[in-house]
Amino acid sequence: MSPERGALPGGRIAVVGGGPGGLYAAVLLKRLDPAREVTVWERNAPDDTFGFGVVLSDETLGGIEQADPVVHDALRREYVRWDDIDIVHRGRTLTSGGHGFAAIGRRRLLQLLHDRCRELGVRLRFRTEAPPAADLARDHDLVIAADGVHSATRGAHADVFRPQLIIHRCRYIWLSTDLAFDAFRFDIAETEHGVVQLHGYPYSRSSSGPHSSLGPRSSPGSRPALDQRSVAASGSRSAPPGDGASTVIVEAHEDVWRRTGWDACPVEESVEQCGKIFAAALGGRPLLSNNSAWTAFRTVTNARWSHGNVVLLGDAAHTAHFSIGSGTKLAVEDALALAACLQEHAALPDALAAYEAERRPVVQSTQRAARASLEWFENLAQYVDQPPRRFAFNLLTRSRRVTHDNLRLRDPAFVASVEAEAGVAPGTPPMFTPFRLGGLTLRNRVVVSPMDMYSADGDGTPGDFHLVHLGARALGGAGLVMTEMVCVSRQGRITPGCTGLYAPEHEAAWRRVTDFVHTGAPGTAIGVQLGHSGRKGSTRLMWEGIDRPLPEGNWPVVAASALPYRAGVNQIPHALTPEELAGVREDFVRAAERAARAGFDLLELHCAHGYLLSGFLSPLTNHRTDAYGGDLEGRLRFPLEVFDAVRAVWPAGRPMTVRISATDWAAGGTSAEDAVEIARAFAAHGVDAVDVSTGQVVAEEQPAFGRSYQTPFADRIRNVVSIPVIAVGAISSWDDVNSLVLAGRADLCALARPHLYDPHWTLHAAAEQGYSGPGAPWPAPYRAGSRTPPTGRTDGPKQRLSLER
């Protein structure tokens, strides 16, 4: 679209903040329409900068090249490229290659953008505080607020932008050293005060020519000694002394930072101590500061990004943790998108709305990955005892953006070495390794998650639907198939369509299902999940109105406390007396005895999702003042009593698991720390594994949805309590399962929706990975379908001659 058809033809534009995002926005807008008057306000001097090197991805560089080849060429002549990541822990270095990074000094990047601004006629006003955005907005057509994480513009209009700031639990300091590392480097130091980590990467090489590269290196996956330094064919792997510079970020959990005394001593003294901790990595060189200070990272989000003709860009609009190298990248990509949207839309409101609509999903995805990464480092101490290769793989896949499959493509030798250390047979994806749970050996790590089907007859008896539903998924290759929540009493049903194990006919009906699974799909285990609906009972079938009361025929509901699930909508439950609790406990016992006789291989106690036992665990739903309420020990008492009573009648050779909600996603509810203690309590009572879910406890919850969003809770329990865990929650691909299992974040992965979409999900995952083995045997009648059917003719004659020039 020609410039005159876009928004702001020949308009006046003010840019508040002279960082890379603001400067690049100014460059693009002036280049696209030279008639525009573009002014950048920067309160610091031209040579002032904070931080040292910045990282740009190939994707971002490609966008810069297309939008402004002049800037791209300048960058290309200066940036440093490298492919490897070094992970140094307990004296050993593991290297993974094929990653591809580019970095440049922040000061040099700003100089290049200053030069381009001057060349195009952008006005640069250094050492000048910008007028308030509201004042600029009156005599400018557009105001771009690129004034950083502490944005004054955002603060002045907080009622419109509605920002949220989350301050995280690690402290970090941004430093430099006059040594060019030859890889992106993670150094893990275990000090007397706790774990301290170094994030480092090169951003300049004094002797390098245009588009300098640190050169390829061989992967340590094929090296006999983990700490052996390889030499590339092009020359020495290590940089010469004093050659170039690297960014060094030192980070520690707040508790470690305080125990070390860095909260109380001068910054210079703490920097000197950091230099000693990481002396080997630095080659004895000092760490350099530039007005550096210890700070806690802040994640910034905004409900809106624009207000009239004022728009937020870069850190003013959003932040993402430095451990995935995203700050400058996101700001530059914001500038590209904003300039494009202003060209594509004739009206400014439409352009700003399009800019936000385009960028927000990308930013949210990046923030989810960054949040996963920063939380991994916050919890770093729980991983340091992992085997070295597993630790390295875990670190590399921490954000869930790098996975087993794409890491295997980048560096197959490295992944093969991780798999060998974990005992994975060659040619076997990690998800198809067996796992022993109590006296039960599962042939693979895939679980069909419990899913309420609401398809029983009016009094809890499973029928043909359940035989077909569970039988199909058993034939589909999963190691363990779980029933829906099976109710222990008529009063404990969620809906009239819920199944039960409170009558003799239920036992016989379930025996029909387990017999089919054991004979029709030999090697597949089937488990039963026992539960009681509590205050969430007496509601409609899901598709008729989830959690809404029945229009008629409601039965009374019970709970730990007389608190309705939704006030004014759901019933006020009866708070169970100690005598009534004993009766409920016996309901669980009788149901467990029927489950054992019905032939189930595993029993899971449902203590999640706000149902009865979960209602005792959460402080939001348990307001009791007797022995079954109060502190966590009291809230655990009844669920543990039920567990012990069920364990006493459940056959010793068959495992028991418990499903918990590891967070209520609501203020004042169960926390991640509480979840660890809950898991530890069940472990002490003999549970074989913890099935870690989250939420659904209170209606006002605010879950942080995203890919594999619940798995960090399982990860923490597994690595802190040292008990097997089942991870669940938006795990949708076989690549996710492989990654979680190999990284040691989960032992089993439960998938729900993927198995609704495809009952043979596990077998198809094996076929897609080219695996055929004991972890995923095809049923004899289905073996002819074990390869993907052709989608079109492929046997036509090959074209041999073309006369076209």
Side-chain angles (χ1 to χ4, degrees), residues 386-563:
Q386 286 187 323
R389 291 178 174 88
R390 169 165 279 181
F391 177 85
F393 181 85
N394 196 353
L395 188 152
L396 292 171
T397 59
R398 68 195 181 279
S399 73
R400 304 196 286 273
R401 283 195 161 182
V402 176
T403 65
H404 173 268
D405 195 46
N406 61 41
L407 192 55
R408 185 168 55 85
L409 292 174
R410 298 179 192 198
D411 193 342
F414 171 79
V415 174
S417 73
V418 179
E419 291 175 343
E421 179 190 72
V424 177
T428 300
M431 66 184 291
F432 293 117
T433 55
F435 185 72
R436 188 169 180 81
L437 198 59
L440 177 68
T441 298
L442 303 175
R443 66 185 177 199
N444 62 51
R445 307 302 183 95
V446 180
V447 178
V448 176
S449 193
M451 295 175 280
D452 290 321
M453 293 289 107
Y454 309 107
S455 298
D457 68 12
D459 196 21
T461 304
D464 289 347
F465 177 89
H466 299 86
L467 175 66
V468 174
H469 167 68
L470 295 169
R473 280 135 192 95
L475 291 170
L480 173 63
V481 176
M482 292 296 301
T483 69
E484 61 197 271
M485 185 179 92
V486 177
C487 304
V488 299
S489 67
R490 198 169 193 277
Q491 185 185 41
R493 294 173 298 159
I494 308 167
T495 75
C498 290
T499 58
L501 260 171
Y502 50 86
E505 57 268 26
H506 300 161
E507 179 183 326
W510 282 118
R511 184 79 208 196
R512 181 173 173 238
V513 175
T514 62
D515 283 348
F516 175 82
V517 170
H518 292 144
T519 58
T524 301
I526 182 166
V528 62
Q529 185 188 69
L530 293 184
H532 186 297
S533 61
R535 69 177 188 159
K536 295 178 77 175
S538 189
T539 59
R540 306 178 193 188
L541 305 184
M542 180 181 66
W543 47 87
E544 294 176 352
I546 189 168
D547 295 326
R548 297 193 64 81
L550 293 166
E552 58 183 6
N554 287 281
W555 57 88
V557 296
V558 298
S561 299
L563 302 169

Side-chain angles (χ1 to χ4, degrees), residues 191-212:
T191 75
E192 61 181 315
H193 303 293
V195 179
V196 181
Q197 61 261 23
L198 176 151
H199 311 244
Y201 56 87
Y203 64 85
S204 74
R205 285 175 63 89
S206 60
S207 62
S208 61
H211 196 168
S212 61

